[in-house]
Amino acid sequence: MNGGSSVKANSDMFSIKLANYRCVWNYIHNSKIVTIPQVSKDTGLSLPTVTKAVDFSLGEGILCEAGLFGGERGRKAKAYSLNPDYAHFVLVYVSDKRLSFEVHSFLSTVLKKGTVEIKNKNFLPALDLLLEKLISEDGAVKMIGIAFPGNVRSGTIRASQDFNFAVGFDLKTHISDKFSLPCFVENVLNVAVSSRLFGMRESSKGISVAFRFGNGGCRVGIVIDGELLKGA
């Protein structure tokens, strides 16, 4: 086998392993508390594959043990669940008068929420200060999301009625570089309608739509089969 073929084979094996692990994580996310035989039976993955995925996830802190499962007779199996504190996620909704924030657990439970009053001209210093405070208070924060009122492409503000002075600013790069954390910046309604902000939720079939009517006209966010629809 030549070098190129070896690299491709290793890449393919990694992709398969990752797909199997994600299958296990998604199943546990939806089922809350599970055993290895249960995951194997319902997903069709082999017991060794599920065991490897669980062992890896325990070592990384993604999963935690959740007691024993089984009847009074026979051997009881260890149960597992996602670790809600493996990673926390900060979501901030920006408006011209306030920053509304939520801190979510790995299971999407809202741990903390609040608002900070601002003037639109100083939204960036206020946003930086808020994120710095939330991250310093919660060492489990591993991702930041910003819901921005305007046209956003690849994290850069392209148009905004409330923040026209910020047009052309790469907000995503600014936040990522400042706090050394993954960050996404999206239009407010794209965030509101998306079912895949954080964690490992299985995408659902169908179409979800959110509308907003205001002085700036009609705004819309659309998700099709779990995927956020973005304009050109």
Side-chain angles (χ1 to χ4, degrees):
M1 180 180 291
N2 60 41
S5 298
S6 177
V7 170
K8 184 179 186 304
N10 289 335
S11 176
D12 290 345
M13 289 180 63
F14 175 80
S15 297
I16 293 172
K17 178 185 289 188
L18 183 59
N20 289 339
Y21 284 15
R22 283 178 172 168
C23 180
V24 171
W25 296 333
N26 279 330
Y27 180 86
I28 296 175
H29 181 274
N30 291 324
S31 302
K32 309 305 180 188
I33 299 177
V34 302
T35 64
I36 289 176
Q38 177 187 348
V39 177
S40 176
K41 177 182 177 181
D42 290 348
T43 64
L45 297 174
S46 68
L47 280 171
T49 295
V50 176
T51 300
K52 287 180 182 178
V54 168
D55 287 344
F56 170 82
S57 303
L58 287 171
E60 293 295 315
I62 298 171
L63 299 182
C64 57
E65 293 187 0
L68 298 175
F69 184 82
E72 294 182 2
R73 297 180 179 180
R75 184 178 178 182
K76 294 184 178 182
K78 283 186 178 180
Y80 304 93
S81 65
L82 290 177
N83 177 6
D85 295 318
Y86 168 68
H88 292 170
F89 168 66
V90 173
L91 175 61
V92 181
Y93 286 87
V94 179
S95 74
D96 62 335
K97 293 183 174 61
R98 65 186 57 86
L99 302 175
S100 302
F101 69 88
E102 294 179 348
V103 180
H104 291 248
S105 76
F106 195 50
L107 299 181
S108 303
T109 302
V110 177
L111 304 174
K112 185 176 183 179
K113 62 190 303 184
T115 59
V116 175
E117 301 300 316
I118 64 168
K119 295 180 179 179
N120 68 344
K121 290 288 186 181
N122 75 336
F123 94 93
L124 186 59
L127 178 61
D128 286 347
L129 190 63
L130 173 62
L131 291 174
E132 184 176 338
K133 180 176 184 295
L134 294 175
I135 292 169
S136 67
E137 292 175 349
D138 186 344
V141 171
K142 292 184 179 179
M143 183 178 287
I144 299 168
I146 307 296
F148 194 84
N151 184 313
V152 179
R153 187 183 301 172
S154 301
T156 297
I157 301 166
R158 303 299 297 269
S160 176
Q161 183 178 18
D162 297 329
F163 298 92
N164 57 3
F165 58 88
V167 170
F169 182 65
D170 187 345
L171 184 56
K172 175 182 177 180
T173 297
H174 169 80
I175 297 297
S176 296
D177 289 350
K178 186 174 183 66
F179 297 101
S180 299
L181 289 172
C183 172
F184 74 83
V185 180
E186 282 288 353
N187 169 271
V188 169
L189 286 179
N190 281 351
V191 171
V193 77
S194 176
S195 64
R196 301 177 66 187
L197 291 180
F198 185 58
M200 293 162 293
R201 304 174 183 176
E202 289 187 327
S203 60
S204 58
K205 297 296 181 182
I207 301 176
S208 299
V209 182
F211 292 97
R212 178 184 176 186
F213 296 92
N215 294 333
C218 175
R219 299 173 183 176
V220 62
I222 302 174
V223 167
I224 300 177
D225 292 344
E227 294 293 336
L228 183 64
L229 181 66
K230 299 184 181 181

